[in-house]
Amino acid sequence: MAAIISFVKSQHSLINTDESILSIALEHGFKNISSYNRLFMKMYRKTPTEFRKIYRRK
């Protein structure tokens, strides 16, 4: 359950900050960018970069 909460919080950071994707992944408990990217692809069929571009508030 904690992992899901961290993942959701990381999505919020992607959308609402200019923080690097690596920093966001590490801040939310992922050991490396590869594991973060894999989970994103599994959940959304998008990379974190693609997710950010689509959902970022302008």
Side-chain angles (χ1 to χ4, degrees), residues 7-44:
F7 186 64
V8 170
K9 287 181 178 181
S10 78
Q11 293 169 31
H12 182 268
S13 294
L14 280 172
I15 294 168
N16 295 300
T17 72
D18 290 327
E19 198 173 345
S20 75
I21 293 169
L22 175 60
S23 294
I24 290 170
L26 296 175
E27 178 182 325
H28 293 283
F30 291 85
K31 296 189 187 288
N32 57 56
I33 194 75
S34 295
S35 61
Y36 189 62
N37 286 340
R38 262 193 312 276
L39 181 57
F40 246 89
M41 289 300 292
K42 185 176 181 178
M43 298 294 290
Y44 295 109

Side-chain angles (χ1 to χ4, degrees), residues 1 5 23 27 30 34-35 44-45 47 49 53 57:
M1 183 63 125
I5 293 169
S23 294
E27 178 182 325
F30 291 85
S34 295
S35 61
Y44 295 109
R45 296 184 184 181
T47 65
T49 302
K53 285 179 184 176
R57 296 195 176 126

